[in-house]
C-alpha cells in the first residue's frame, strides 16, 4: 500500500516538475519577443522606465505610424514582399520541373542521383562565400541596387531546396496515376499539370512557404547587393537604423514586429512539414 | 520556358522516330533551366572567387600571386576570427543539443498541450535574424534593457553586466542568443526522431528489466542516432557561417571580441575593398564547411537507400 502511494506521489511530482520545466522553456522562448512587442507600443517614458514595465503601460500606435508613414519602412516592406514573391515563384517553377524529371525519369549513368546531389551541394556554400563574387558580378553588370538582382540571387538560393523537397513529394505519389492519364491521351506535361501537380499541392504549398520565409528573412546578400533606400528590403532597412548612433527604439521595434508577423503566420501554416523542410527532407517528421 | 513543341505534343506521331527523340530529350529540357541558374549563380561565383583569391591590386595593376594565402598565416585577426568561430560553434552546439534533447525527451510522452508547446517554441527559430538582433539589443541594453532592469529591481548590482558591450561577456552573450534561437531546431528534429522510434524495443527492454538509464543509453540513443547526426551536421554548418545576429548585435565588437570568419570576410571585402584577401578567406571557410556538408550528404544518401 505504502509503496504504491509513494510511487503515485512521486509520479505526480515528476509530472508537476515536467510541466514546470516546459513552462520555463515557453517563458524563455517568448519573453524577449514579447518585450519587443511592448516596446513597439510603449511611449518613450514607459520604454525607459525602471523597473521595466512588462504589463502596466498605456499602449500607443505612434511608433508604427512613425515607422511606416513618415519613415521609409513602408517602402522596405513593399520591396521585401515583391522580392520574396517573385523569387519564390521563379524557384518553384524552375525547381518543380527539374524535380519532376529527376523523380520520374531514369536517366543514364546514374545521373538522377549525381545531379540531385550536385544541386544539393550548391545549397551548402556559406552565403558570405558567394556574396563577394555576386557583388562584383552585379557591379560589373550594373545591377547593384536593383530588385531584379535580389530576385535572381534568391531564386538560385532557394532552387536546390525546391528541387530536393519536390523530388521527395513526387516520389510519394503513385506513378500509375499519370500513366493512366497518359493512356487516356494526356501528354507528359498535360499529366503533370492535370494529375500530378494537384496531388502534390500540399507539398508545393509547403515548399513555397519555406521559400517565402527564407527570402523574407535573408539579410547578408541583401545587405551586400543593395545600398540605396529604393531597393532595400526590410531586414537591411532595420539593420541600417539599428547600428546608427541614436536609435529610435520604438520605431525599430515596430518595424521588427511587422517583419516578424508574416513569418509567424507562414511558419504555423507549414507546421506539419516543418521538420521535413528544416532537414531538407532527411527527417520526415 | 519550354518549347511549344512539347506542350502541344499530339498523339499522331507517338510511333515516329521524332517522338522518340523528343521523349528522350524531355527530362533534360525540364532540368536544364535549373542547371543553368545554378551554373550562373553558384558555380560561376565559386570559380570567380578562386580566380580573384590569386590576385592582388586592382585595375591596371593586377598581380597574380599566392600572397593572399600566405597573408592568412601571419594575420592574427584572421586567427582570432577563426578561433571565435570555432568557440561559438562548439559552445552553442553543445548547449543547443543538450537542452534540445532534454526538451524533446520531456515532450515525447503523453502530454496535454503538446502541439501548443511545439508551436510556441517555434517562434525564436522562425524569426528573421535581424529581428532577433533587435529583440536582444532591447534585452541586453545596460541602461534600460529588460535583463538588467529586472535584475536591478531584484536588488542586484548590474554595473559590470554590460553584456554585448563588455569585451569579456560579448562572445558569451551572442552565443546565448544563438542558443535561444536555435535550441528549438534541435528540439524539433530530435522530437521527430524520438516519435519515429517504434514501441517494441522499449517493451523488450522493460521485459528484460532495464532501468531508465539503461533504456536511454542502449535503446533510445542508438535508435535516435540518425536524427542526432542530421541535427548536429545542419547546425554545425550554420554555426560556422554565422553572420546576421552578430552583425546587428555587436558588428564584431567591442574591439574584435565577437568577430567571426564571416564578419571578417565582410569587413575585408566591403569596408576595405580587399576582395582578393576576402576571397582567400572565403576559401578557408568553404573548406571548413565543405567537410561537414560532405558528411551530411553521405548521411542523407544512406537514409535514402535505407
Amino acid at each position: 500500500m505504502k509503496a504504491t502511494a509513494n510511487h503515485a506521489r512521486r509520479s505526480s511530482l515528476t509530472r508537476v516538475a515536467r510541466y514546470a520545466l516546459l513552462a520555463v522553456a515557453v517563458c524563455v522562448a517568448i519573453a524577449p519577443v514579447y518585450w519587443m512587442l511592448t516596446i513597439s507600443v510603449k511611449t518613450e517614458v514607459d520604454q525607459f522606465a525602471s523597473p521595466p514595465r512588462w504589463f502596466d503601460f498605456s499602449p500607443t500606435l505612434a511608433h508604427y505610424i512613425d515607422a511606416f508613414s513618415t519613415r521609409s519602412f513602408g517602402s522596405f516592406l513593399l520591396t521585401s514582399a515583391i522580392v520574396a514573391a517573385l523569387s519564390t515563384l521563379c524557384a518553384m517553377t524552375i525547381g518543380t520541373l527539374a524535380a519532376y524529371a529527376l523523380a520520374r525519369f531514369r536517366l543514364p549513368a546514374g545521373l538522377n542521383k549525381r545531379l540531385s546531389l550536385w544541386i544539393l551541394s550548391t545549397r551548402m556554400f556559406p552565403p558570405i562565400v558567394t556574396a563577394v563574387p555576386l557583388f562584383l558580378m552585379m557591379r560589373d553588370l550594373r545591377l547593384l541596387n536593383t530588385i531584379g538582382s535580389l530576385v535572381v540571387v534568391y531564386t538560385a538560393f532557394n532552387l536546390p531546396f525546391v528541387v530536393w523537397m519536390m523530388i521527395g513529394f513526387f516520389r510519394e505519389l503513385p506513378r500509375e496515376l499519370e500513366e493512366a492519364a497518359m493512356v487516356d491521351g494526356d501528354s507528359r506535361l498535360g499529366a503533370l499539370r492535370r494529375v500530378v501537380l494537384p496531388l502534390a499541392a500540399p507539398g508545393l504549398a509547403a515548399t513555397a512557404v519555406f521559400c517565402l520565409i527564407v527570402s523574407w528573412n535573408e539579410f547578408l546578400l541583401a545587405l551586400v547587393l543593395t545600398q540605396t533606400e529604393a531597393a532595400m528590403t526590410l531586414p537591411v532597412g532595420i539593420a541600417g537604423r539599428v547600428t546608427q548612433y541614436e536609435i529610435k527604439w520604438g520605431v525599430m521595434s515596430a518595424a521588427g514586429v511587422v517583419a516578424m508577423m508574416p513569418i509567424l503566420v507562414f511558419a504555423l501554416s507549414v507546421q506539419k512539414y516543418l521538420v521535413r523542410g528544416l532537414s531538407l527532407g532527411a527527417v520526415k517528421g | 520556358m519550354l518549347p511549344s513543341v512539347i506542350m502541344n505534343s499530339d498523339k499522331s506521331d507517338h510511333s515516329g522516330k521524332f517522338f522518340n527523340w523528343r521523349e528522350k530529350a524531355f527530362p533534360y529540357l525540364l532540368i536544364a533551366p535549373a542547371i543553368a541558374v545554378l551554373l550562373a549563380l553558384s558555380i560561376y561565383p565559386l570559380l570567380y572567387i578562386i580566380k580573384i583569391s590569386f590576385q592582388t591590386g586592382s585595375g591596371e595593376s593586377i598581380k597574380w600571386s599566392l600572397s593572399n594565402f600566405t597573408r592568412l598565416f601571419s594575420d592574427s585577426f584572421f586567427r582570432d576570427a577563426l578561433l571565435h568561430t570555432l568557440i561559438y560553434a562548439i559552445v552553442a552546439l553543445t548547449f543547443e543539443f543538450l537542452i534540445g534533447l532534454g526538451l524533446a525527451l520531456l515532450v515525447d510522452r503523453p502530454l496535454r498541450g503538446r502541439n501548443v508547446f511545439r508551436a510556441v517554441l517555434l517562434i525564436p527559430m522562425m524569426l528573421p535574424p535581424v529581428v532577433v538582433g533587435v529583440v536582444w539589443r532591447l534585452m541586453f541594453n545596460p541602461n534600460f534593457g529588460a535583463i538588467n532592469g529586472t535584475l536591478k529591481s531584484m536588488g542586484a548590482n548590474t554595473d559590470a553586466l554590460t553584456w554585448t558591450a563588455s569585451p569579456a561577456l560579448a562572445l558569451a552573450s551572442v552565443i546565448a542568443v544563438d542558443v535561444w534561437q536555435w535550441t528549438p531546431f534541435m528540439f524539433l528534429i530530435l522530437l521527430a526522431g524520438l516519435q519515429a522510434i517504434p514501441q517494441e524495443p522499449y517493451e523488450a527492454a522493460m521485459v528484460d528489466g532495464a532501468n531508465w538509464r539503461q533504456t536511454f543509453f542502449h535503446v533510445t540513443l542508438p535508435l535516435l542516432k540518425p536524427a542526432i547526426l542530421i541535427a548536429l551536421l545542419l547546425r554545425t554548418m550554420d554555426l560556422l557561417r554565422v553572420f546576421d545576429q552578430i552583425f546587428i548585435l555587436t558588428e564584431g565588437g567591442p574591439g574584435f571580441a565577437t568577430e567571426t570568419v564571416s564578419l571578417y570576410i565582410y569587413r575585408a571585402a566591403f569596408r576595405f575593398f580587399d576582395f582578393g584577401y576576402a576571397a582567400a578567406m572565403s576559401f578557408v571557410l568553404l573548406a571548413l564547411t565543405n567537410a561537414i556538408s560532405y558528411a551530411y550528404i553521405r548521411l542523407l544518401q544512406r537514409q535514402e537507400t535505407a
Side-chain angles (χ1 to χ4, degrees):
Chain A
M1 265 317 264
K2 204 177 164 209
T4 34
N6 253 342
H7 187 77
R9 213 173 69 206
R10 216 173 52 210
S11 77
S12 81
L13 249 178
T14 53
R15 223 182 60 202
V16 170
R18 199 165 143 231
Y19 279 100
L21 277 173
L22 294 179
V24 170
V26 166
C27 287
V28 172
I30 58 174
V33 181
Y34 171 77
W35 180 249
M36 177 179 73
L37 208 66
T38 67
I39 296 278
S40 78
V41 294
K42 275 178 188 164
T43 60
E44 305 223 325
V45 178
D46 284 336
Q47 283 175 13
F48 300 106
S50 173
R53 297 198 178 143
W54 288 87
F55 302 105
D56 58 326
F57 52 84
S58 40
T60 162
L61 283 178
H63 304 305
Y64 287 87
I65 295 163
D66 191 6
F68 289 92
S69 70
T70 56
R71 288 161 209 270
S72 346
F73 284 100
S75 118
F76 303 154
L77 188 71
L78 187 66
T79 307
S80 269
I82 293 172
V83 169
L86 286 181
S87 65
T88 299
L89 190 70
C90 294
M92 287 301 294
T93 310
I94 301 172
T96 304
L97 293 177
Y100 180 70
L102 288 169
R104 276 296 191 260
F105 292 87
R106 182 182 286 274
L107 305 176
L111 262 184
N112 296 63
K113 195 175 209 174
R114 280 188 201 173
L115 275 177
S116 55
L117 286 176
W118 174 74
I119 289 173
L120 180 66
S121 73
T122 63
R123 167 90 177 187
M124 305 296 176
F125 301 157
I128 187 72
V129 171
T130 41
V132 175
L134 283 173
F135 169 80
L136 296 171
M137 284 162 62
M138 294 299 176
R139 191 185 62 180
D140 293 346
L141 295 169
R142 304 200 177 283
L143 287 175
L144 285 181
N145 301 318
T146 60
I147 289 178
S149 70
L150 284 181
V151 171
V152 167
V153 167
Y154 288 180
T155 298
F157 192 67
N158 275 325
L159 193 55
F161 174 78
V162 175
V163 172
W164 203 252
M165 289 289 281
M166 288 315 298
I167 287 179
F169 285 117
F170 284 142
R171 283 210 182 124
E172 282 165 18
L173 299 176
R175 196 183 280 269
E176 290 75 29
L177 286 169
E178 342 155 29
E179 277 163 8
M182 280 162 67
V183 168
D184 290 347
D186 260 336
S187 66
R188 263 278 176 196
L189 269 181
L192 174 63
R193 207 175 55 217
R194 273 186 290 276
V195 180
V196 183
L197 289 185
L199 286 170
L204 279 169
T207 307
V209 168
F210 276 110
C211 291
L212 285 172
I213 293 177
V214 168
S215 306
W216 183 268
N217 285 357
E218 205 286 330
F219 173 61
L220 174 55
L221 292 166
L223 176 72
V224 166
L225 295 177
T226 57
Q227 272 107 33
T228 56
E229 290 218 335
M232 243 177 221
T233 59
L234 197 50
V236 181
I238 293 176
R241 275 138 197 87
V242 161
T243 45
Q244 273 166 11
Y245 185 64
E246 198 203 11
I247 300 166
K248 289 268 189 191
W249 290 108
V251 174
M252 286 325 316
S253 303
V257 169
V258 171
M260 130 186 129
M261 283 307 172
I263 294 306
L264 293 187
V265 174
F266 285 150
L268 287 178
S269 73
V270 286
Q271 263 220 68
K272 195 176 147 205
Y273 296 102
L274 201 63
V275 169
R276 188 168 175 170
L278 288 169
S279 65
L280 289 163
V283 182
K284 291 274 151 75
Chain B
M1 284 259 158
L2 282 160
S4 55
V5 191
I6 301 249
M7 305 282 272
N8 310 326
S9 105
D10 68 56
K11 288 200 302 167
S12 61
D13 55 11
H14 262 214
S15 50
K17 222 177 173 181
F18 184 54
F19 174 77
N20 275 338
W21 179 84
R22 246 165 47 187
E23 182 81 331
K24 279 217 180 81
F26 182 62
Y28 298 101
L29 287 172
L30 293 184
I31 302 172
I35 293 185
V37 168
L38 291 175
L39 282 177
L41 291 147
S42 286
I43 302 303
Y44 179 72
L46 197 66
L47 298 175
Y48 196 110
I49 210 163
I50 293 174
K51 186 185 116 192
I52 60 172
S53 71
F54 293 106
Q55 291 179 343
T56 49
S58 61
E60 296 291 292
S61 60
I62 285 183
K63 285 200 208 68
W64 293 80
S65 73
L66 281 173
S67 67
N68 286 322
F69 288 96
T70 52
R71 197 174 138 195
L72 285 175
F73 293 99
S74 55
D75 182 354
S76 68
F77 288 117
F78 178 67
R79 208 164 46 222
D80 283 352
L82 201 57
L83 188 69
H84 294 153
T85 307
L86 294 177
I87 293 174
Y88 186 95
I90 292 167
V91 176
L93 193 69
T94 308
F95 278 100
E96 283 161 20
F97 174 66
L98 291 178
I99 303 173
L101 181 62
L103 289 173
L105 288 169
L106 280 180
V107 173
D108 181 43
R109 273 182 291 170
L111 178 80
R112 207 172 300 162
R114 175 194 282 158
N115 289 339
V116 177
F117 179 76
R118 204 169 156 264
V120 169
L121 226 56
L122 285 182
I123 294 175
M125 178 177 71
M126 304 311 295
L127 289 186
V130 169
V131 174
V132 171
V134 171
V135 164
W136 283 92
R137 280 184 84 115
L138 295 170
M139 295 295 287
F140 279 143
N141 189 294
N143 301 317
F144 66 90
I147 295 178
N148 280 8
T150 309
L151 287 175
K152 240 184 260 173
S153 68
M154 296 189 310
N157 179 2
T158 57
D159 291 349
L161 293 177
T162 50
W163 308 111
T164 47
S166 122
L169 286 177
L171 190 58
S173 303
V174 291
I175 291 175
V177 173
D178 202 285
V179 173
W180 174 79
Q181 194 186 5
W182 289 105
T183 297
F185 173 84
M186 287 281 184
F187 161 78
L188 271 181
I189 305 269
L190 295 180
L191 181 62
L194 280 173
Q195 295 189 325
I197 299 177
Q199 205 54 48
E200 290 82 30
Y202 287 109
E203 283 161 9
M206 221 155 83
V207 170
D208 292 344
N211 61 29
W212 72 265
R213 199 192 312 183
Q214 288 166 323
T215 313
F216 177 72
F217 283 105
H218 296 287
V219 179
T220 312
L221 270 191
L223 288 171
L224 195 58
K225 208 174 115 196
I228 291 178
L229 281 175
I230 285 170
L232 288 178
L233 285 172
L234 277 173
R235 258 334 277 145
T236 310
M237 233 166 355
D238 274 353
L239 283 164
L240 290 176
R241 60 178 64 155
V242 61
F243 179 88
D244 301 5
Q245 313 95 295
I246 301 185
F247 185 84
I248 305 291
L249 280 168
T250 65
E251 275 193 276
F256 210 71
T258 53
E259 187 95 337
T260 61
V261 174
S262 279
L263 277 141
Y264 193 46
I265 295 173
Y266 176 83
R267 197 190 294 262
F270 301 107
R271 292 280 188 268
F272 306 129
F273 299 100
D274 196 347
F275 293 113
Y277 191 46
M281 289 191 285
S282 302
F283 211 76
V284 175
L285 183 63
L286 191 65
L288 205 64
T289 47
N290 248 14
I292 293 147
S293 48
Y294 181 73
Y296 177 74
I297 288 175
R298 291 309 296 262
L299 191 76
L300 261 183
Q301 264 179 304
R302 217 179 318 150
Q303 300 276 98
E304 284 274 291
T305 49

